[in-house]
Amino acid sequence: MHHFHYKNNKLYAEGVPLTEIAEAVGTPCYIYSQATLTHHFKVFDNAFSDVPHLTCYSVKANSNIALLKLFASLGGGVDVVSGGELFRALKADVSPKKIVFSGVGKTEDEIKMALEADILMFNVESEAELETIHEIASHLGKIAPIALRVNPDIDPKTHPYISTGLKKSKFGIDIKIAEQLYLKANHIPHIRVIGIDCHIGSQLTLLSPFLDALERIKLLYQKLEAQGLKLQYLDLGGGLGIPYGEEIPPHPTEYAQAIKAAAQDLNCTLIFEPGRVIVGNAGILLTKVLYLKQGKGKTFIIVDAAMNDLIRPSLYHAHHEIKPVEKMERPLVVADVVGPICETGDFFAQGRKMPLVQSGDLLAIMSAGAYGFVMSSNYNSRPRVAEVLVNGDRYQVIRKRECYEDLIRLEKIPEWMA
Ligand SMILES: *Cc1c(COP(=O)(O)O)cnc(C)c1O
């Protein structure tokens, strides 16, 4: 579900024609729909309204502070994976008691920052990290609330780059040794063991890996309980997929039904860390056609956005629908939609059947709200694009387009060259 629709053959974001935003803000730019963001958050969160739970939006999917502020206003918490994300969350007035901190490589500074902010809990990914957290907490005279991120060795059946719950992955603590570590952690003075956590991957389109992981986590939970260690939180991570093309992932309510049924005998608060499912379909990347070029047996549509703006097609061979902003009578062609960057991997679509657009036409690259802007870079010295939030008939730039000066702002010519 999203609010990007045609009216009289013109594509709108809610009540605003995309042509209007293109004219005012320029292209390329990301455009997000607030109604869609709100709807997605509420559908997910409401699906668990009958059980104690906390929806901690995964900041890494889209970290703009306007979005964080929106989710916080809807009662959400966040899952952060860096000090920078924690900084953003605090700036957006997310309640620290609704912040969980995940990630395999938390630095001392990040741990200190999170302890000083009094976050809800650290999702600890190794014994070494546990020791570091303890050391820092004891220096600060604090008690660090923690969960262990357990690796249940489950194949999430998604792209290998976004599979995180297999034994061979760098994430989490092997479920076989987790029990021992729990019992050990429980005796460390500046550590308070309050939860158990797992996150097995992203863009999952099946329920079974979630349920298989939960079964294994439950066993561990019950074993710990039997030994007198009662855990208050069960964090099941994120990972629910969205339809980019043909795939039909489970609906959040279906996911919720299955999880609730499986977890009902565990008397604890459930935490979720959804990212993509909240923001993915709530954003598009708006781009303009620069040139058409006839290659050997194929047409290249060269647009002003590139892999530095949206890397998913290049990185994961991800599929994104591409729609003309103004529908016209155009013959169909099979084309590659490519950007201006000097890399053959710089494409948004290959061999795509689509209308033969022309120079100056606008295209909407759909489902670009998650892992879009956040993964963008300045490669080829391209300023990062603007982000726009639409709300009904209104819109506002929520991140300005970078300018050339921004590109070199932090650089310096050394004295000996001056
Ligand atoms: C990436 C990530 C998420 C969010 O994943 P989605 O697939 O976007 O829902 C949640 N938790 C952790 C620990 C992550 O690394």
Side-chain angles (χ1 to χ4, degrees):
M1 201 294 282
H2 59 70
H3 291 277
F4 297 96
H5 292 299
Y6 287 101
K7 277 179 225 164
N8 303 322
N9 292 325
K10 277 185 153 194
L11 193 56
Y12 279 64
E14 302 188 25
V16 183
L18 297 185
T19 47
E20 189 183 322
I21 298 176
E23 215 162 281
V25 178
T27 58
C29 66
Y30 277 96
I31 299 171
Y32 311 122
S33 151
Q34 182 166 328
T36 313
L37 293 165
T38 303
H39 177 77
H40 285 176
F41 183 88
K42 285 188 173 167
V43 165
F44 191 97
D45 196 50
N46 289 345
F48 292 97
S49 59
D50 51 344
V51 297
H53 78 285
L54 181 58
T55 303
C56 291
Y57 166 68
S58 172
V59 173
K60 79 177 195 284
N62 187 322
S63 58
N64 190 292
I65 55 171
L67 271 59
L68 303 185
K69 185 95 189 169
L70 175 68
F71 298 137
S73 77
L74 297 171
V78 294
D79 169 46
V80 300
V81 293
S82 71
E85 288 189 353
L86 177 56
F87 172 79
R88 285 175 175 279
L90 296 173
K91 281 280 171 195
D93 297 323
V94 177
S95 159
K97 280 295 161 219
K98 293 182 179 178
I99 299 178
V100 296
F101 192 169
S102 306
V104 289
K106 302 178 191 76
T107 66
E108 291 185 10
D109 285 345
E110 289 173 328
I111 292 166
K112 186 160 177 269
M113 183 180 172
L115 281 169
E116 282 170 345
D118 276 323
I119 65 163
L120 178 63
M121 76 181 181
F122 292 86
N123 288 333
V124 175
E125 304 219 14
S126 63
E127 182 164 5
E129 182 194 331
L130 185 67
E131 280 160 14
T132 301
I133 293 177
H134 172 245
E135 229 166 81
I136 298 171
S138 67
H139 272 297
L140 295 177
K142 298 234 174 209
I143 306 236
I146 66 118
L148 294 186
R149 174 167 176 183
V150 172
N151 182 330
D153 192 22
I154 295 286
D155 185 353
K157 304 209 163 51
T158 181
H159 191 283
Y161 288 8
I162 47 177
S163 296
T164 56
L166 277 166
K167 202 162 55 189
K168 65 182 180 190
S169 113
K170 70 175 176 182
F171 296 99
I173 294 161
D174 187 339
I175 193 156
K176 294 202 194 77
I177 61 166
E179 184 181 346
Q180 275 171 21
L181 191 54
Y182 261 109
L183 298 175
K184 181 174 167 190
N186 202 30
H187 294 293
I188 305 181
H190 287 267
I191 295 286
R192 181 157 65 237
V193 181
I194 61 169
I196 187 164
D197 168 51
C198 83
H199 169 77
I200 57 172
S202 194
Q203 185 53 17
L204 271 69
T205 54
L206 297 171
L207 277 181
S208 51
F210 287 115
L211 297 174
D212 294 347
L214 179 51
E215 276 317 306
R216 294 192 181 177
I217 297 291
K218 257 173 82 173
L219 279 180
L220 175 60
Y221 182 99
Q222 286 158 342
K223 268 195 213 164
L224 293 170
E225 203 172 29
Q227 297 181 72
L229 182 50
K230 172 80 183 91
L231 299 174
Q232 197 182 338
Y233 294 101
L234 174 57
D235 182 340
L236 293 171
L240 193 55
I242 62 167
Y244 284 102
E246 308 284 281
E247 65 273 69
I248 308 174
H251 189 274
T253 53
E254 211 183 315
Y255 166 81
Q257 288 308 332
I259 298 281
K260 282 189 292 190
Q264 63 181 351
D265 42 343
L266 307 177
N267 174 25
C268 61
T269 298
L270 299 177
I271 296 179
F272 298 94
E273 305 169 350
R276 190 189 309 271
V277 73
I278 309 288
V279 294
N281 289 335
I284 62 153
L285 175 59
L286 185 64
T287 184
K288 191 166 73 184
V289 177
L290 297 175
Y291 303 108
L292 294 191
K293 181 165 162 176
Q294 200 52 50
K296 228 181 155 43
K298 69 166 138 186
T299 304
F300 290 104
I301 296 171
I302 303 166
V303 299
D304 64 357
M307 65 188 282
N308 74 297
D309 304 310
L310 175 65
I311 203 174
R312 299 192 67 260
S314 310
L315 188 59
Y316 312 125
H317 268 272
H319 176 91
H320 286 265
E321 290 293 311
I322 300 179
K323 293 183 173 173
V325 167
E326 293 180 275
K327 269 195 202 161
M328 295 179 215
E329 287 293 322
R330 294 263 162 87
L332 286 180
V333 284
V334 174
D336 282 13
V337 180
V338 302
I341 282 187
C342 308
E343 299 263 355
T344 305
D346 180 24
F347 58 82
F348 293 115
Q350 290 179 307
R352 182 74 60 89
K353 197 166 178 187
M354 58 187 287
L356 182 59
V357 291
Q358 317 231 308
S359 168
D361 284 4
L362 294 169
L363 294 175
I365 303 176
M366 307 303 289
S367 307
Y371 307 103
F373 183 87
V374 284
M375 286 181 131
S376 67
S377 76
N378 290 122
Y379 187 40
N380 278 208
S381 282
R382 292 165 52 86
R384 256 174 287 221
V385 305
E387 292 176 287
V388 175
L389 184 65
V390 174
N391 180 20
D393 297 331
R394 292 183 295 176
Y395 69 88
Q396 204 166 315
V397 173
I398 56 171
R399 192 180 200 271
K400 281 204 300 202
R401 185 181 306 284
E402 291 177 355
C403 65
Y404 289 148
E405 278 298 324
D406 292 326
L407 293 175
I408 57 166
R409 195 172 305 284
L410 303 173
E411 297 178 18
K412 197 163 165 55
I413 293 174
E415 283 162 19
W416 61 84
M417 286 182 198

